[in-house]
Coordinates of all heavy atoms in Angstrom, one line a residue:
M1 N 0.8 -1.2 0.0 CA 0.0 0.0 0.0 C 0.9 1.2 0.0 O 1.8 1.4 0.8 CB -0.9 0.0 1.3 CG -2.3 0.3 1.0 SD -3.2 0.1 2.6 CE -4.6 0.9 2.0
S2 N 0.6 2.2 -0.9 CA 1.4 3.4 -0.9 C 0.8 4.5 0.0 O -0.4 4.5 0.3 CB 1.5 3.9 -2.3 OG 0.2 4.3 -2.8
K3 N 1.6 5.4 0.4 CA 1.2 6.5 1.2 C 0.4 7.5 0.4 O 0.7 7.7 -0.8 CB 2.3 7.2 1.8 CG 3.0 6.5 3.0 CD 4.0 7.4 3.6 CE 4.6 6.8 4.8 NZ 5.6 7.7 5.5
R4 N -0.6 8.1 1.0 CA -1.4 9.1 0.3 C -0.7 10.4 0.4 O -0.1 10.8 1.4 CB -2.8 9.2 1.0 CG -3.8 9.9 0.1 CD -5.1 9.8 0.7 NE -5.2 10.7 1.8 CZ -6.2 10.8 2.6 NH1 -7.2 10.0 2.5 NH2 -6.2 11.7 3.6
E5 N -0.7 11.2 -0.7 CA 0.1 12.4 -0.7 C -0.7 13.5 0.1 O -1.9 13.6 0.1 CB 0.1 12.9 -2.2 CG 1.0 14.1 -2.4 CD 1.1 14.4 -3.9 OE1 1.4 13.5 -4.6 OE2 0.9 15.6 -4.2
K6 N 0.1 14.2 0.9 CA -0.5 15.3 1.7 C 0.0 16.7 1.2 O 1.1 16.8 0.8 CB 0.1 15.2 3.1 CG -0.5 14.3 4.0 CD -0.1 14.6 5.4 CE -0.1 13.6 6.4 NZ 0.5 13.9 7.7
N7 N -0.9 17.6 1.1 CA -0.6 19.0 0.8 C -0.4 19.8 2.0 O -1.2 19.7 3.0 CB -1.7 19.6 0.0 CG -1.9 19.0 -1.4 OD1 -0.9 18.5 -2.0 ND2 -3.1 18.9 -1.9
I8 N 0.7 20.5 2.1 CA 1.1 21.3 3.2 C 1.1 22.8 2.8 O 1.8 23.1 1.8 CB 2.5 20.9 3.8 CG1 2.4 19.4 4.2 CG2 2.9 21.8 4.9 CD1 3.8 18.9 4.6
E9 N 0.4 23.6 3.5 CA 0.3 25.0 3.1 C 1.5 25.7 3.8 O 1.8 25.6 5.0 CB -1.0 25.6 3.7 CG -1.2 27.0 3.3 CD -2.5 27.6 3.7 OE1 -3.4 26.8 4.0 OE2 -2.6 28.8 3.8
I10 N 2.3 26.4 2.9 CA 3.5 27.2 3.4 C 3.2 28.7 3.2 O 2.7 29.1 2.2 CB 4.7 26.8 2.5 CG1 5.0 25.3 2.6 CG2 5.9 27.6 3.0 CD1 5.4 24.8 4.0
L11 N 3.5 29.4 4.3 CA 3.2 30.8 4.3 C 4.6 31.6 4.2 O 5.6 31.1 4.8 CB 2.5 31.3 5.5 CG 1.2 30.6 5.8 CD1 0.7 31.0 7.2 CD2 0.2 30.9 4.8
E12 N 4.6 32.7 3.5 CA 5.8 33.5 3.3 C 5.5 34.8 4.1 O 4.6 35.6 3.8 CB 5.9 33.8 1.8 CG 7.2 34.5 1.5 CD 7.3 34.6 0.0 OE1 6.8 33.8 -0.8 OE2 7.8 35.7 -0.4
V13 N 6.3 35.0 5.2 CA 6.1 36.1 6.1 C 7.3 37.0 6.0 O 8.4 36.6 6.3 CB 5.9 35.7 7.5 CG1 5.7 36.9 8.5 CG2 4.7 34.7 7.6
E14 N 7.1 38.3 5.6 CA 8.2 39.2 5.5 C 8.3 40.1 6.8 O 7.3 40.6 7.3 CB 8.1 40.1 4.3 CG 8.3 39.4 3.0 CD 8.5 40.4 1.8 OE1 8.5 41.6 2.0 OE2 8.7 39.9 0.7
K15 N 9.5 40.2 7.3 CA 9.7 41.0 8.5 C 10.9 42.0 8.2 O 11.8 41.6 7.5 CB 10.1 40.1 9.7 CG 9.0 39.2 10.1 CD 9.5 38.3 11.3 CE 8.3 37.4 11.7 NZ 8.8 36.6 12.9
I16 N 10.9 43.1 8.9 CA 12.0 44.0 8.8 C 12.7 44.1 10.1 O 12.1 44.4 11.1 CB 11.5 45.4 8.4 CG1 10.9 45.4 7.0 CG2 12.7 46.4 8.4 CD1 10.3 46.7 6.5
V17 N 14.0 43.7 10.1 CA 14.8 43.7 11.3 C 16.1 44.5 11.0 O 16.8 44.1 10.0 CB 15.2 42.2 11.7 CG1 16.1 42.2 12.9 CG2 13.9 41.4 11.9
D18 N 16.3 45.5 11.8 CA 17.5 46.4 11.6 C 17.6 46.9 10.1 O 18.7 46.8 9.5 CB 18.8 45.7 12.0 CG 18.8 45.3 13.4 OD1 18.2 46.0 14.2 OD2 19.4 44.3 13.8
N19 N 16.5 47.3 9.5 CA 16.4 47.8 8.2 C 16.7 46.8 7.1 O 17.0 47.1 6.0 CB 17.3 49.1 8.0 CG 16.8 50.2 8.7 OD1 15.6 50.4 8.9 ND2 17.7 51.1 9.2
N20 N 16.7 45.5 7.5 CA 16.9 44.4 6.5 C 15.6 43.6 6.4 O 15.0 43.3 7.4 CB 18.0 43.5 7.0 CG 19.4 44.2 7.0 OD1 19.7 45.0 6.1 ND2 20.2 43.9 8.0
T21 N 15.2 43.3 5.2 CA 14.0 42.5 5.0 C 14.3 41.0 5.1 O 15.2 40.5 4.4 CB 13.4 42.8 3.6 OG1 13.1 44.2 3.5 CG2 12.1 42.0 3.5
I22 N 13.6 40.3 6.0 CA 13.8 38.9 6.2 C 12.5 38.2 5.8 O 11.5 38.6 6.3 CB 14.2 38.6 7.7 CG1 15.5 39.2 8.0 CG2 14.2 37.1 7.9 CD1 15.9 39.1 9.5
T23 N 12.6 37.2 5.0 CA 11.5 36.4 4.6 C 11.5 35.1 5.4 O 12.5 34.3 5.3 CB 11.4 36.1 3.1 OG1 11.5 37.4 2.4 CG2 10.2 35.4 2.7
E24 N 10.5 34.8 6.1 CA 10.4 33.5 6.9 C 9.3 32.6 6.2 O 8.3 33.1 5.8 CB 9.9 33.7 8.3 CG 11.0 34.1 9.2 CD 10.5 34.1 10.7 OE1 9.3 34.1 11.0 OE2 11.4 34.2 11.5
L25 N 9.7 31.4 6.0 CA 8.7 30.4 5.5 C 8.2 29.6 6.7 O 9.0 29.1 7.5 CB 9.4 29.4 4.5 CG 9.9 30.1 3.2 CD1 10.5 29.0 2.3 CD2 8.8 30.8 2.5
T26 N 6.9 29.6 6.9 CA 6.3 28.9 8.0 C 5.1 28.0 7.5 O 4.6 28.3 6.4 CB 5.7 29.9 9.0 OG1 4.7 30.7 8.4 CG2 6.8 30.8 9.6
T27 N 4.8 27.0 8.3 CA 3.6 26.2 8.0 C 2.4 26.9 8.5 O 2.5 27.9 9.3 CB 3.8 24.8 8.6 OG1 3.8 25.0 10.0 CG2 5.0 24.1 8.1
K28 N 1.3 26.4 8.2 CA 0.0 26.9 8.7 C -0.1 26.8 10.2 O -0.7 27.7 10.9 CB -1.2 26.1 8.1 CG -2.5 26.8 8.3 CD -3.5 26.1 7.4 CE -4.3 25.1 8.2 NZ -5.4 24.5 7.5
D29 N 0.7 25.9 10.8 CA 0.7 25.7 12.3 C 1.8 26.6 13.0 O 2.2 26.3 14.1 CB 1.0 24.3 12.6 CG -0.1 23.4 12.1 OD1 -1.3 23.8 12.0 OD2 0.2 22.2 11.7
Q30 N 2.4 27.6 12.2 CA 3.4 28.5 12.7 C 4.7 27.9 13.0 O 5.6 28.4 13.7 CB 2.9 29.2 14.0 CG 1.6 30.0 13.8 CD 1.7 31.1 12.7 OE1 2.7 31.8 12.6 NE2 0.7 31.2 11.9
E31 N 5.0 26.7 12.4 CA 6.3 26.1 12.5 C 7.2 26.7 11.5 O 6.9 26.7 10.3 CB 6.2 24.6 12.2 CG 7.6 23.9 12.2 CD 7.5 22.4 11.8 OE1 6.4 21.9 11.5 OE2 8.5 21.8 11.7
V32 N 8.3 27.3 11.9 CA 9.2 28.0 11.0 C 10.1 27.0 10.3 O 10.8 26.1 10.9 CB 10.1 29.0 11.8 CG1 11.2 29.6 10.9 CG2 9.3 30.0 12.5
I33 N 10.1 27.1 9.0 CA 10.9 26.2 8.1 C 12.3 26.7 8.0 O 13.3 26.0 8.1 CB 10.3 26.0 6.7 CG1 8.9 25.3 6.9 CG2 11.2 25.3 5.8 CD1 8.2 25.2 5.6
G34 N 12.4 28.0 7.8 CA 13.7 28.7 7.6 C 13.5 30.2 7.3 O 12.4 30.6 7.1
R35 N 14.6 30.9 7.1 CA 14.6 32.3 6.7 C 15.4 32.6 5.5 O 16.4 31.8 5.2 CB 15.2 33.1 7.9 CG 14.4 32.9 9.2 CD 14.9 33.7 10.4 NE 16.3 34.2 10.3 CZ 16.8 35.2 11.0 NH1 16.0 35.7 11.9 NH2 18.0 35.6 10.9
I36 N 15.1 33.6 4.8 CA 15.8 34.1 3.6 C 16.2 35.5 3.9 O 15.4 36.4 4.2 CB 15.0 34.0 2.4 CG1 14.6 32.5 2.1 CG2 15.8 34.5 1.2 CD1 13.6 32.4 1.0
L37 N 17.6 35.8 3.8 CA 18.1 37.1 4.0 C 18.8 37.5 2.7 O 19.3 36.7 2.0 CB 19.1 37.1 5.1 CG 18.7 36.5 6.4 CD1 19.7 35.4 6.9 CD2 18.5 37.5 7.5
Q38 N 18.8 38.8 2.5 CA 19.5 39.3 1.3 C 20.8 39.9 1.7 O 20.9 40.7 2.6 CB 18.6 40.4 0.5 CG 19.3 40.7 -0.8 CD 18.3 41.6 -1.7 OE1 17.3 41.9 -1.2 NE2 18.8 41.8 -2.9
D39 N 21.9 39.5 1.0 CA 23.2 40.0 1.3 C 23.7 40.6 0.0 O 24.3 39.9 -0.9 CB 24.1 38.8 1.7 CG 25.5 39.3 2.1 OD1 25.7 40.4 2.6 OD2 26.4 38.5 1.8
K40 N 23.5 41.9 -0.2 CA 23.9 42.6 -1.4 C 23.1 42.0 -2.6 O 21.9 42.0 -2.6 CB 25.4 42.7 -1.6 CG 26.1 43.4 -0.5 CD 27.6 43.4 -0.7 CE 28.2 44.1 0.5 NZ 29.6 44.0 0.6
K41 N 23.8 41.4 -3.5 CA 23.1 40.8 -4.7 C 22.8 39.3 -4.5 O 22.3 38.7 -5.4 CB 24.0 41.0 -6.0 CG 24.2 42.4 -6.4 CD 24.9 42.5 -7.6 CE 25.1 44.0 -8.0 NZ 25.8 44.1 -9.3
R42 N 23.2 38.7 -3.4 CA 23.0 37.3 -3.2 C 22.0 37.1 -2.1 O 21.6 38.1 -1.4 CB 24.3 36.6 -2.9 CG 25.3 36.8 -4.0 CD 26.5 36.0 -4.0 NE 26.3 34.6 -3.8 CZ 26.2 33.6 -4.7 NH1 26.3 34.0 -6.0 NH2 26.1 32.4 -4.4
Y43 N 21.5 35.9 -1.9 CA 20.6 35.6 -0.9 C 21.2 34.5 0.0 O 22.0 33.7 -0.4 CB 19.3 35.1 -1.5 CG 18.5 36.2 -2.2 CD1 18.8 36.5 -3.5 CD2 17.6 36.9 -1.5 CE1 18.1 37.5 -4.2 CE2 16.9 37.9 -2.1 CZ 17.1 38.2 -3.5 OH 16.5 39.2 -4.1
I44 N 20.7 34.5 1.3 CA 21.2 33.5 2.2 C 20.0 32.7 2.7 O 19.0 33.3 3.3 CB 21.9 34.1 3.4 CG1 23.1 34.9 3.0 CG2 22.3 33.1 4.5 CD1 23.7 35.8 4.0
A45 N 20.0 31.4 2.5 CA 18.9 30.5 3.0 C 19.4 30.0 4.3 O 20.4 29.3 4.4 CB 18.6 29.4 2.0
E46 N 18.7 30.2 5.4 CA 19.0 29.8 6.7 C 18.0 28.8 7.3 O 16.9 29.1 7.4 CB 19.1 31.0 7.7 CG 19.6 30.7 9.0 CD 19.7 31.9 9.9 OE1 20.5 32.8 9.6 OE2 18.9 32.0 10.9
L47 N 18.5 27.6 7.5 CA 17.6 26.5 8.0 C 17.4 26.8 9.5 O 18.1 27.5 10.1 CB 18.3 25.2 7.8 CG 18.6 24.8 6.4 CD1 19.3 23.4 6.3 CD2 17.3 24.7 5.5
K48 N 16.4 26.1 10.0 CA 16.0 26.3 11.5 C 17.1 25.8 12.4 O 17.2 26.2 13.5 CB 14.7 25.8 11.8 CG 14.5 24.3 11.7 CD 13.1 23.9 12.1 CE 12.8 22.5 11.9 NZ 11.5 22.1 12.2
N49 N 18.0 24.9 11.9 CA 19.1 24.4 12.7 C 20.3 25.3 12.6 O 21.3 25.0 13.3 CB 19.5 22.9 12.3 CG 20.1 22.8 10.9 OD1 20.3 23.8 10.2 ND2 20.3 21.6 10.5
G50 N 20.3 26.4 11.9 CA 21.4 27.3 11.8 C 22.2 27.2 10.6 O 23.1 28.1 10.3
E51 N 22.1 26.1 9.8 CA 22.9 25.9 8.6 C 22.5 26.9 7.6 O 21.3 27.2 7.4 CB 22.7 24.5 8.1 CG 23.6 24.1 7.0 CD 23.4 22.6 6.6 OE1 22.5 21.9 7.2 OE2 24.1 22.2 5.7
T52 N 23.5 27.5 6.8 CA 23.2 28.5 5.8 C 23.7 28.1 4.5 O 24.7 27.3 4.4 CB 23.8 29.9 6.2 OG1 25.2 29.7 6.3 CG2 23.3 30.4 7.5
F53 N 23.0 28.6 3.4 CA 23.4 28.4 2.0 C 23.4 29.7 1.3 O 22.4 30.4 1.4 CB 22.5 27.4 1.3 CG 22.4 26.0 1.9 CD1 21.5 25.7 2.9 CD2 23.3 25.0 1.5 CE1 21.5 24.4 3.5 CE2 23.3 23.8 2.0 CZ 22.4 23.5 3.0
R54 N 24.4 30.0 0.6 CA 24.4 31.3 -0.2 C 24.0 30.9 -1.7 O 24.6 30.0 -2.3 CB 25.8 31.9 -0.2 CG 26.2 32.4 1.1 CD 27.5 33.2 1.1 NE 27.9 33.7 2.4 CZ 27.4 34.8 2.9 NH1 26.5 35.5 2.3 NH2 27.8 35.2 4.1
V55 N 23.0 31.6 -2.2 CA 22.5 31.3 -3.5 C 22.3 32.7 -4.2 O 22.4 33.7 -3.7 CB 21.2 30.6 -3.4 CG1 21.4 29.2 -2.9 CG2 20.1 31.3 -2.6
S56 N 22.0 32.6 -5.5 CA 21.9 33.8 -6.4 C 20.5 34.3 -6.5 O 20.4 35.5 -6.9 CB 22.5 33.5 -7.8 OG 21.8 32.4 -8.4
S57 N 19.5 33.6 -6.1 CA 18.1 34.1 -6.3 C 17.3 33.7 -5.1 O 17.5 32.7 -4.4 CB 17.5 33.6 -7.6 OG 17.2 32.2 -7.5
Q58 N 16.2 34.5 -4.9 CA 15.3 34.2 -3.8 C 14.5 32.9 -4.0 O 14.3 32.1 -3.1 CB 14.3 35.3 -3.6 CG 13.5 35.2 -2.4 CD 12.6 36.4 -2.1 OE1 12.4 37.2 -2.9 NE2 12.1 36.5 -0.9
A59 N 14.2 32.6 -5.3 CA 13.5 31.4 -5.6 C 14.4 30.2 -5.3 O 13.9 29.1 -4.8 CB 13.1 31.4 -7.1
E60 N 15.7 30.2 -5.6 CA 16.6 29.1 -5.3 C 16.7 28.9 -3.7 O 16.7 27.8 -3.3 CB 18.0 29.5 -5.8 CG 18.9 28.3 -5.8 CD 20.2 28.6 -6.5 OE1 20.4 29.7 -7.1 OE2 21.1 27.8 -6.4
A61 N 16.7 30.0 -3.0 CA 16.7 29.9 -1.5 C 15.5 29.3 -1.0 O 15.5 28.4 -0.1 CB 16.8 31.3 -0.9
M62 N 14.3 29.6 -1.6 CA 13.0 29.0 -1.2 C 13.1 27.5 -1.5 O 12.6 26.7 -0.7 CB 11.9 29.6 -1.8 CG 11.5 30.9 -1.2 SD 10.0 31.5 -2.0 CE 9.9 33.1 -1.3
E63 N 13.6 27.1 -2.6 CA 13.7 25.7 -3.0 C 14.5 24.9 -2.1 O 14.1 23.8 -1.7 CB 14.3 25.7 -4.4 CG 14.3 24.3 -5.0 CD 14.8 24.3 -6.5 OE1 14.4 25.1 -7.3 OE2 15.7 23.4 -6.7
I64 N 15.6 25.5 -1.6 CA 16.5 24.8 -0.7 C 15.7 24.6 0.6 O 15.8 23.5 1.2 CB 17.8 25.6 -0.4 CG1 18.7 25.5 -1.7 CG2 18.5 25.1 0.8 CD1 19.9 26.4 -1.6
L65 N 15.1 25.6 1.1 CA 14.4 25.5 2.4 C 13.2 24.4 2.3 O 13.1 23.6 3.2 CB 13.8 26.8 2.8 CG 14.8 27.9 3.2 CD1 14.1 29.2 3.5 CD2 15.6 27.5 4.4
L66 N 12.5 24.4 1.2 CA 11.4 23.5 1.1 C 11.9 22.1 0.9 O 11.4 21.1 1.5 CB 10.5 23.9 -0.1 CG 9.7 25.1 0.1 CD1 9.1 25.5 -1.2 CD2 8.7 25.0 1.2
R67 N 13.0 21.9 0.2 CA 13.6 20.6 0.0 C 14.1 20.0 1.3 O 13.8 18.8 1.6 CB 14.8 20.7 -1.0 CG 15.3 19.3 -1.4 CD 16.5 19.3 -2.4 NE 16.5 20.5 -3.2 CZ 17.6 21.3 -3.4 NH1 18.7 21.0 -2.7 NH2 17.5 22.3 -4.2
E68 N 14.8 20.8 2.1 CA 15.3 20.4 3.4 C 14.1 20.0 4.4 O 14.2 19.1 5.1 CB 16.2 21.4 4.0 CG 17.5 21.5 3.4 CD 18.4 20.3 3.5 OE1 18.4 19.7 4.6 OE2 19.0 19.9 2.5
Y69 N 13.1 20.8 4.3 CA 11.9 20.6 5.2 C 11.3 19.2 4.8 O 10.9 18.4 5.6 CB 10.9 21.7 5.0 CG 9.6 21.5 5.8 CD1 9.6 21.6 7.2 CD2 8.4 21.1 5.1 CE1 8.4 21.4 7.8 CE2 7.3 20.9 5.8 CZ 7.2 21.0 7.1 OH 6.1 20.8 7.8
H70 N 11.1 19.0 3.5 CA 10.5 17.8 3.0 C 11.4 16.5 3.4 O 10.8 15.5 3.7 CB 10.3 17.9 1.5 CG 9.7 16.6 0.9 ND1 8.4 16.3 1.2 CD2 10.2 15.7 0.1 CE1 8.1 15.2 0.5 NE2 9.1 14.8 -0.1
L71 N 12.7 16.7 3.3 CA 13.5 15.5 3.6 C 13.5 15.1 5.1 O 13.6 13.9 5.4 CB 15.0 15.9 3.2 CG 15.4 15.8 1.8 CD1 16.8 16.3 1.6 CD2 15.2 14.4 1.2
H72 N 13.3 16.1 5.9 CA 13.4 15.8 7.4 C 12.1 15.8 8.0 O 12.0 15.8 9.3 CB 14.3 16.9 8.0 CG 15.7 16.8 7.5 ND1 16.6 15.8 7.8 CD2 16.4 17.7 6.7 CE1 17.7 16.0 7.2 NE2 17.6 17.2 6.5
R73 N 11.0 15.7 7.3 CA 9.7 15.6 7.8 C 9.3 14.2 8.1 O 9.6 13.3 7.5 CB 8.7 16.2 6.8 CG 7.4 16.4 7.4 CD 6.7 17.6 6.9 NE 5.3 17.7 7.0 CZ 4.6 17.7 8.2 NH1 5.2 17.5 9.2 NH2 3.3 17.8 8.2

C-alpha cells in the first residue's frame, strides 16, 4: 500500500529587522521552516538548525528550504 500524498500550506512572512527584510517560511501551524536574508546581490537561506546556504536568487533559496523541510519531515 502506498502513502497518500499530503498537501502542506506554506506561508511567506516578511519582517523588517534592523532595516533588513527577512522572509520567513512557515507552515500553517506556525512552524518555522527557515529564513531568507538578502546579502547585497546574493541571498542566504538559513535553516532552522542554523545551517546556511548562499544562493543567487530568492527562488533558489526557497527551493532549498522546502527541499530540506521535506527531507526531514
Side-chain angles (χ1 to χ4, degrees):
M1 226 175 168
S2 65
K3 284 187 175 182
R4 202 170 74 187
E5 189 174 308
K6 278 194 205 177
N7 291 329
I8 300 170
E9 186 176 338
I10 302 295
L11 304 172
E12 190 177 325
V13 180
E14 287 193 3
K15 297 180 180 181
I16 297 178
V17 178
D18 298 330
N19 292 327
N20 295 321
T21 302
I22 297 173
T23 304
E24 278 188 346
L25 295 182
T26 61
T27 63
K28 194 169 95 174
D29 300 328
Q30 302 301 318
E31 178 186 356
V32 176
I33 294 173
R35 302 181 339 161
I36 301 171
L37 308 129
Q38 188 169 6
D39 181 35
K40 298 178 184 171
K41 293 183 179 181
R42 302 197 44 99
Y43 291 88
I44 301 170
E46 185 179 293
L47 301 174
K48 64 181 178 181
N49 67 3
E51 189 176 0
T52 60
F53 297 91
R54 293 187 182 276
V55 294
S56 58
S57 70
Q58 187 174 17
E60 191 177 355
M62 283 186 188
E63 186 178 311
I64 287 172
L65 294 175
L66 292 172
R67 186 177 336 126
E68 288 294 318
Y69 175 74
H70 181 68
L71 284 175
H72 299 289
R73 187 143 162 61

